[in-house]
Amino acid sequence: MKFWLMTFGYEKTPGSGEYTISTPNESLVVSILSLGTFFGALFAAPMADIMGRRWGIVGACAVFSVGVAMQTAATAIPLFVVGRVFAGLGVGMVSCLVPMYQAESSPKWIRGAVVSCYQWAITIGIFLAACVNQATKDRMDYGSYRIPTAIQFVWAGVLAIGMFLLPESPRYLIKKHRDADAAHSLGRLLSVPDDHPDVQVEIEDIKANLRMEEEIGQSSYADCFKMGPNKVLLRTLTGIFLQAWQQLTGCVLITSRTNTTFTNIFP
């Protein structure tokens, strides 16, 4: 995207018309988003317990939108980088809260398929982003990068507005001792009356799971790395290594760095 390089980078040699960005700045712009997602994911779970799953997702969309606004308005690296941090925070929160809400709100017979759709939607988003970038990359004005950046407002808005139309997680409501609200939420999710037997069975299952958690007692992130009778450490390491091996397949290179890689190979 030449105009982005002209705005945030520098001319390789005076009068050459070829622009680039320094390696430190390129690394900072690319990697700072991941730093934001790391802390966003850590903040998400406590926020979900305090605000609820619905309002937590709406708040994450707001944080993400602040980052998008900064990146859209930026004409220099510092503001663009700060925008990437805020956007990363929002992405990290959403990456934790959306699967949580899906798992807690979906009927058990389709729960796995619903949660899997989260990753499917991410892949579609990457594809659409590439299409928009392809359409605007040759523009020689601020629209070359502001259009693909600002279009993210649309998807954040769809998610935030959608959460206003959906019920709160029944598990969260029961955890807060709001059984009547939980029954109403489950009734909406199952498309049955609040006093339907299926609703009551589901509520009792949730209560049983919560009682089991209360018997175990309070926990912290440090408990994820303790073995114990439930082999929590083994579960944590399984998730870590699954993610690590997935990254080592080179999927991020294909989805995020293909243009840069081919440009360096075939200048």
Side-chain angles (χ1 to χ4, degrees), residues 20 43 53 86 111 123 266:
T20 188
F43 296 152
R53 283 38 165 169
F86 275 90
R111 189 168 295 154
T123 307
F266 307 106

Side-chain angles (χ1 to χ4, degrees), residues 189-207:
L189 292 168
L190 298 175
S191 300
V192 297
D194 297 359
D195 57 355
H196 193 278
D198 288 347
V199 171
Q200 301 307 315
V201 169
E202 192 73 23
I203 287 178
E204 290 304 318
D205 285 346
I206 294 172
K207 286 183 175 180

Side-chain angles (χ1 to χ4, degrees), residues 28-262:
L28 179 63
V29 168
V30 172
S31 62
I32 202 69
L33 181 77
S34 297
L35 180 65
T37 59
F38 174 79
F39 286 104
L42 290 180
F43 296 152
M47 183 172 71
D49 286 338
I50 296 171
M51 300 175 59
R53 283 38 165 169
R54 287 175 68 225
W55 287 110
I57 293 174
V58 172
C61 290
V63 172
F64 175 76
S65 296
V66 169
V68 171
M70 289 181 175
Q71 292 175 80
T72 303
T75 56
I77 287 292
L79 182 59
F80 196 85
V81 167
V82 173
R84 295 276 288 176
V85 173
F86 275 90
L89 285 170
V91 170
M93 293 177 187
V94 167
S95 68
C96 176
L97 293 172
V98 168
M100 181 189 299
Y101 179 81
Q102 290 176 315
E104 293 181 355
S105 302
S106 304
K108 62 180 67 176
W109 57 87
I110 59 169
R111 189 168 295 154
V114 170
V115 176
S116 298
C117 285
Y118 170 75
Q119 183 61 43
W120 181 59
I122 290 176
T123 307
I124 293 175
I126 293 171
F127 170 71
L128 292 176
C131 292
V132 175
N133 282 337
Q134 182 66 23
T136 64
K137 67 181 179 64
D138 294 325
R139 292 175 61 110
M140 294 304 294
D141 56 26
Y142 288 110
S144 63
Y145 69 90
R146 284 180 172 171
I147 291 173
T149 302
I151 205 170
Q152 297 173 98
F153 282 122
V154 176
W155 311 119
V158 168
L159 179 57
I161 293 171
M163 294 312 301
F164 283 102
L165 305 177
L166 294 171
E168 180 57 271
S169 160
R171 182 182 177 87
Y172 169 77
L173 294 171
I174 293 174
K175 191 173 183 179
K176 296 297 182 180
H177 307 292
R178 296 164 56 184
D179 291 9
D181 292 335
H184 180 66
S185 176
L186 268 172
R188 285 187 60 190
L189 292 168
L190 298 175
S191 300
V192 297
D194 297 359
D195 57 355
H196 193 278
D198 288 347
V199 171
Q200 301 307 315
V201 169
E202 192 73 23
I203 287 178
E204 290 304 318
D205 285 346
I206 294 172
K207 286 183 175 180
N209 288 331
L210 288 175
R211 280 195 297 269
M212 187 182 300
E213 290 180 5
E214 290 173 357
E215 291 173 1
I216 295 173
Q218 294 293 324
S219 58
S220 66
Y221 283 121
D223 293 315
C224 295
F225 300 94
K226 297 177 181 178
M227 182 56 75
N230 294 322
K231 299 182 179 180
V232 177
L233 176 60
L234 180 61
R235 299 181 187 187
T236 301
L237 292 177
T238 299
I240 290 173
F241 282 108
L242 280 173
Q243 180 67 16
W245 285 111
Q246 174 187 316
Q247 297 300 312
L248 288 171
T249 64
C251 59
V252 174
L253 174 66
I254 295 171
T255 58
S256 304
R257 305 288 295 171
T258 302
N259 290 343
T260 302
T261 301
F262 283 132

